[in-house]
Amino acid sequence: MEGFVGFTNRSQGRDQIFRATQYTCMLLSYLIENKADKKKLVMKLKQLESSMSSGRKMFRLGNVVHALVAARRAAELPEVVPRLCLTGSHLSRALYFVCDAALWLRSVGLQPNLDKPKWHTWATKCYYCSLLMNLARDWYEISWRLEQAALEEKAKENCAWQRDGEELNGVRSDGLHSFLCQLFQILKRNPPLLLDLVKNLCDLSGPLDTLGIYKTNPGVIGFCGVLSSLVGILTLASPHLKLKQ
């Protein structure tokens, strides 16, 4: 089992590279599709995008097991909120991979009668749910750090040598500007949390558009996909930048 999980971990690197290529093609084709002399290039970019998408589905075939193992580990976390969020996220992702595998079987002709639109919608909903769980966990981490910063500030204000109103890191404790400044400082001091938040927010663009919650365009989805993929590659190349579970 551990060897299989290790293999799927390596395949995630290939998936991220294919993903970055796929969304780069989507972004480029959107930017040049209205230029008459670029029609052949747009067609080639869309073909490459489709090929990358199909290749990614093949790479993800074993990720159901990886997601279930991750869910089992998350269920053992001591803190309630991260435990619930991460377990829910991994289980939703496992269901997404099941739907994705079914769609791949249809694309290669092994399940020709599969209802593609319905399975695609199910896959998108599972992925969307997983992202919401990840964002809930990110907000929990941010809220905890904001609370710790507020407690430190209050403790300092209670000290006799800081009764003149000196604030923590030069940030006042009231108002929206203060909140945003503290949020900026927290994310600046915690790169793994910042990267995870950026990746999850970028990944939302696709499901929001597909499910009709917030319509955008291929340019926005492509840009967000490229940015998310680069973050994914960075965290795989430098594990210390990945938010610990």
Side-chain angles (χ1 to χ4, degrees), residues 161-198:
W161 55 276
Q162 283 198 324
R163 288 179 180 173
D164 58 349
E166 182 181 352
E167 294 89 15
L168 179 63
N169 292 327
V171 178
R172 292 188 178 276
S173 59
D174 56 343
L176 178 61
H177 182 263
S178 165
F179 170 78
L180 293 176
C181 288
Q182 283 208 354
L183 179 61
F184 173 78
Q185 291 296 329
I186 286 170
L187 294 176
K188 181 180 178 181
R189 293 195 298 264
N190 296 274
L193 180 56
L194 172 61
L195 291 174
D196 195 70
L197 180 63
V198 169

Side-chain angles (χ1 to χ4, degrees), residues 99-212:
C99 296
D100 195 58
L103 290 169
W104 179 80
L105 290 174
R106 185 189 185 281
S107 69
V108 297
L110 295 178
Q111 289 290 337
N113 297 323
L114 189 77
D115 189 340
K116 183 178 178 180
K118 182 168 70 174
W119 280 84
H120 181 65
T121 300
W122 286 350
T124 304
K125 287 180 178 179
C126 291
Y127 185 49
Y128 179 58
C129 181
S130 175
L131 291 174
L132 292 181
M133 292 291 100
N134 287 338
L135 285 169
R137 188 270 179 109
D138 288 341
W139 179 246
Y140 170 80
E141 296 288 341
I142 291 172
S143 298
W144 181 80
R145 285 170 172 80
L146 285 171
E147 184 179 352
Q148 292 299 114
L151 290 174
E152 290 178 13
E153 180 179 354
K154 186 175 181 179
K156 285 190 176 183
E157 288 177 347
N158 289 335
C159 293
W161 55 276
Q162 283 198 324
R163 288 179 180 173
D164 58 349
E166 182 181 352
E167 294 89 15
L168 179 63
N169 292 327
V171 178
R172 292 188 178 276
S173 59
D174 56 343
L176 178 61
H177 182 263
S178 165
F179 170 78
L180 293 176
C181 288
Q182 283 208 354
L183 179 61
F184 173 78
Q185 291 296 329
I186 286 170
L187 294 176
K188 181 180 178 181
R189 293 195 298 264
N190 296 274
L193 180 56
L194 172 61
L195 291 174
D196 195 70
L197 180 63
V198 169
K199 186 178 188 304
N200 289 323
L201 288 174
C202 287
D203 286 341
L204 271 181
S205 61
L208 288 176
D209 182 79
T210 302
L211 297 174

